[in-house]
Amino acid sequence: MPTITYAGTEVTVNDEGFFADPGQWREEMAPLIARQEGIGELSERHWQVIKFMRHEYAAKGTGPTVRVLGKTSGVSVKELYQLFPKGPAKAAAKIAGIPKPRGCI
Amino acid sequence: VRKRIVVLGGGTGGTLVANRLRGLFDRDAAEITVIDPDDRHVYQPGLLFVPFGRATPAALARSRSRQFRPGVTFRQAAVDRVDVGRDEVWLADGTPVAYDVLVIATGARLVPEETEGLTGPGWNEKVFTFYTRDGAAALERALSGFTGGRLAVAVLDLPIKCPVAPLEFCFLADSYFRKRGIRDKVELTYVTPLDGAFTKPVASRELGGLLADKGVSLVTEFNTGEVDGAGGRLVSFDGREVGFDLAVVIPLHSGQEYVNRSPGLGDELGFVPADQQTLQAKVKPNVFVIGDAADIPASKAGSVAHFEGEVVARNITRYLAGEPPDASFDGHANCFIESGSGKALLIDFNYDTEPLPGRFPGRAGLPLLRQSRLNHLGKLAFGWLYWHVLLPGREIPAVHSQMPAAGKHLPSAGSRSPSGKGR
């Protein structure tokens, strides 16, 4: 798998740029990943979602879908799309250093 | 001591597992009770045909209580909540029902009110769903009066019951308008939150190609945030729009409300997390889940409930004998896909193997992932099998719980999709 360097640390990612090992993630990497996703500045609301993503991943082994995020993160789906215009579940997972959410069939 | 097995829900999964269990336990070894708020069992695969005038809503429903083997008790009651700590179901009228083993088989519920605008102006006038009998009947009336314009078929989000049904609707709509001689006046569009026509790559390519062949435009990665019935627009959360004169939507799905009132039982959407192999609920070992109610990475489809039935029944007998569960569900699903003009495709897959070409159940069987007249006849025959073989908990000859590999064009082992990866 490819590697990429954030904040001086080399991390392993998949073909789409999602972290292979969430343990390699550190907070100072988030703004750098966000910039690649087209998000200039991470606000407090962004951080609320990013921390929620990491918490959910630690508890359940997969990141939540957008619908579940809207129900449980304290941020509505509408606002989630304003924060992460390219798609909240994927972008927030990438910035939070967790694997791509599995979603469902 | 007679064991008390309580099954919540008398639909496909609840009925077939209750009947299987009745065959496995003597009457003095276990009492089996099925609880459901109504006595109307709907053959849901038939709903697809109602909008095109090829099935009537009345013909799709039968009595639930008449589908059970003798010795299964049917109790018509609504459930308020489950107290998993005390092994009790509380009915809406305040009566407790104690159990030794509980089976959750209450399926999925449509929640159109969760999408902005969907149940507002235009609902059941310009915007329809065929996932209910009333909705399918209303759509039949609207389609018969439709003389041309933009028809959008939209999946709002996953999970949904029978993920191929909205595609089948497109294929059948193409045939329907052709037959009426107005196909050139109808613009058909399929709108999906996925990045292709279907969840799995090989089938997605095949079904996407079929949409193109039939002149159906495909709009992908469209997460519908609002349905504007009056204005005739689907609006995505990222601000894109699809205009329509008539929209057929698959509303969001949730589990039943009692699940949310039962501490520890369900997830955020009201589905019940379970071990994807044993089908034992994560909350407690004496609770099992079958069918659409389960939060597992398998399709929400009747065939899945059928294949799960054998596993759930065996693991319940083992649990009551004080043994660990040993039966294992592989995620097997099997779906006929109507493609119009009297033809259909068949797909067969599980957690590890995506739908592939070949034949089912073996090398001399029905063609997989390819249109054929035979598959269409198979789909029609399935209605009879459903009431007479599947619900009574009998085996369909040559069709087993585990997905057959023989007959499939399997790629080399390394390129299979990894276990549990849904999308």
Side-chain angles (χ1 to χ4, degrees):
Chain A
M1 273 200 271
T3 59
I4 193 163
T5 303
Y6 291 122
T9 307
E10 195 171 77
V11 300
T12 312
V13 295
N14 76 354
D15 297 338
E16 294 174 88
F18 289 91
F19 275 51
D21 173 11
Q24 293 185 317
W25 183 87
R26 281 181 290 112
E27 280 197 15
E28 59 263 36
M29 296 175 180
L32 304 167
I33 310 168
R35 215 159 296 153
Q36 293 178 343
E37 290 295 296
I39 297 165
E41 189 104 4
L42 287 179
S43 68
E44 223 170 278
R45 297 294 272 174
H46 284 108
W47 277 107
Q48 183 177 333
V49 178
I50 292 165
K51 287 183 174 159
F52 186 81
M53 294 296 285
R54 288 196 66 85
H55 173 264
E56 284 291 290
Y57 180 80
K60 294 175 183 163
T62 180
T65 62
V66 182
R67 186 169 162 216
V68 170
L69 263 181
K71 277 185 187 281
T72 53
S73 68
V75 180
S76 72
V77 175
K78 237 178 194 170
E79 191 186 345
L80 283 164
Y81 271 91
Q82 286 158 6
L83 295 170
F84 305 95
K86 281 196 201 164
K90 282 190 203 169
K94 201 179 273 188
I95 298 167
I98 64 170
K100 188 174 172 178
R102 273 208 294 269
C104 22
I105 305 176
Chain B
V1 187
R2 276 180 105 201
K3 299 292 185 186
R4 297 157 302 179
I5 302 173
V6 171
V7 179
L8 299 184
T12 311
T15 302
L16 67 87
V17 84
N19 286 337
R20 275 182 180 271
L21 288 165
R22 191 66 286 168
L24 292 171
F25 288 97
D26 288 336
R27 292 207 198 179
D28 49 9
E31 59 176 49
I32 299 167
T33 306
V34 179
I35 300 174
D36 199 289
D38 65 56
D39 191 17
R40 196 178 54 245
H41 187 134
V42 177
Y43 176 62
Q44 296 185 71
L47 290 171
L48 171 68
F49 297 99
V50 173
F52 305 106
R54 292 165 56 184
T56 61
L60 300 178
R62 297 188 186 184
S63 158
R64 286 192 199 288
S65 49
R66 296 219 187 135
Q67 311 309 321
F68 299 114
R69 292 193 189 188
V72 173
T73 305
F74 179 65
R75 194 158 171 179
Q76 192 175 328
V79 170
D80 179 61
R81 67 187 187 280
V82 179
D83 186 338
V84 286
R86 297 179 54 176
D87 301 326
E88 281 172 348
V89 173
W90 286 79
L91 302 180
D93 66 5
T95 315
V97 179
Y99 61 81
D100 296 296
V101 166
L102 182 69
V103 182
I104 306 280
T106 38
R109 160 177 81 95
L110 306 181
V111 285
E113 63 279 5
E114 280 194 23
T115 299
E116 193 181 328
L118 181 52
T119 53
W123 181 230
N124 280 331
E125 289 163 18
K126 256 170 92 177
V127 182
F128 300 86
T129 184
F130 62 92
Y131 270 47
T132 63
R133 288 199 305 160
D134 289 348
L139 178 56
E140 191 270 327
R141 291 190 291 274
L143 278 183
S144 64
F146 193 71
T147 51
R150 299 161 302 165
L151 171 58
V153 179
V155 176
L156 301 189
D157 199 1
L158 299 176
I160 59 168
K161 294 189 268 190
C162 192
V164 295
L167 285 164
E168 296 180 276
F169 185 89
C170 291
F171 302 146
L172 291 178
D174 170 70
S175 283
Y176 171 85
F177 290 123
R178 249 172 236 293
K179 223 173 269 172
R180 286 182 47 197
I182 57 167
R183 179 65 186 91
D184 58 334
K185 296 190 174 63
V186 181
E187 202 180 297
L188 273 169
T189 306
Y190 184 70
V191 181
T192 170
L194 298 173
D195 59 7
F198 194 58
T199 47
K200 309 283 181 113
V202 175
S204 187
R205 274 199 300 280
E206 187 67 31
L207 295 168
L210 214 49
L211 284 175
D213 288 348
K214 292 175 185 294
V216 182
S217 319
L218 177 62
V219 176
T220 58
E221 295 186 87
F222 192 94
N223 291 281
T224 304
E226 184 193 346
V227 179
D228 174 8
R233 296 179 310 150
L234 303 169
V235 186
S236 72
F237 281 112
D238 57 3
R240 287 180 290 154
E241 291 189 6
V242 173
F244 63 80
D245 298 300
L246 188 76
V248 177
V249 301
I250 319 305
L252 300 182
H253 285 38
S254 282
Q256 303 299 335
E257 286 176 301
Y258 81 86
V259 174
N260 298 116
R261 292 190 295 262
S262 307
L265 187 61
D267 65 13
E268 300 83 354
L269 301 181
F271 295 112
V272 179
D275 184 285
Q276 69 177 47
Q277 259 92 38
T278 67
L279 303 171
Q280 212 163 23
K282 296 212 169 143
V283 68
K284 215 175 165 185
N286 65 335
V287 180
F288 292 82
V289 196
I290 186 167
D292 300 349
D295 175 26
I296 55 169
S299 291
K300 297 198 183 300
S303 66
V304 172
H306 169 66
F307 297 132
E308 288 171 341
E310 191 181 319
V311 173
V312 170
R314 173 158 173 88
N315 283 338
I316 288 173
T317 58
R318 289 188 56 91
Y319 172 80
L320 287 174
E323 294 161 350
D326 71 348
S328 183
F329 180 58
D330 65 355
H332 190 192
N334 179 288
C335 317
F336 288 105
I337 304 173
E338 277 294 297
S339 55
S341 310
K343 289 182 180 172
L345 293 84
L346 177 65
I347 56 173
D348 189 71
F349 57 105
N350 68 10
Y351 292 138
D352 298 319
T353 307
E354 64 171 310
L356 294 169
R359 284 183 181 268
F360 174 86
R363 286 180 190 86
L366 295 169
L368 287 166
L369 207 50
R370 188 157 60 74
Q371 295 185 76
S372 88
R373 177 90 188 141
L374 213 53
N375 287 334
H376 170 69
L377 297 174
K379 175 128 184 162
L380 297 186
F382 189 72
W384 187 90
L385 280 176
Y386 181 82
W387 296 108
H388 298 280
V389 178
L390 199 123
L391 289 186
R394 300 198 180 98
E395 306 295 337
I396 299 174
V399 177
H400 304 292
S401 174
Q402 301 274 318
M403 187 201 76
K408 285 200 176 64
H409 303 161
L410 293 168
S412 53
S415 58
R416 285 192 191 181
S417 65
S419 176
K421 293 284 160 77
R423 261 182 201 172

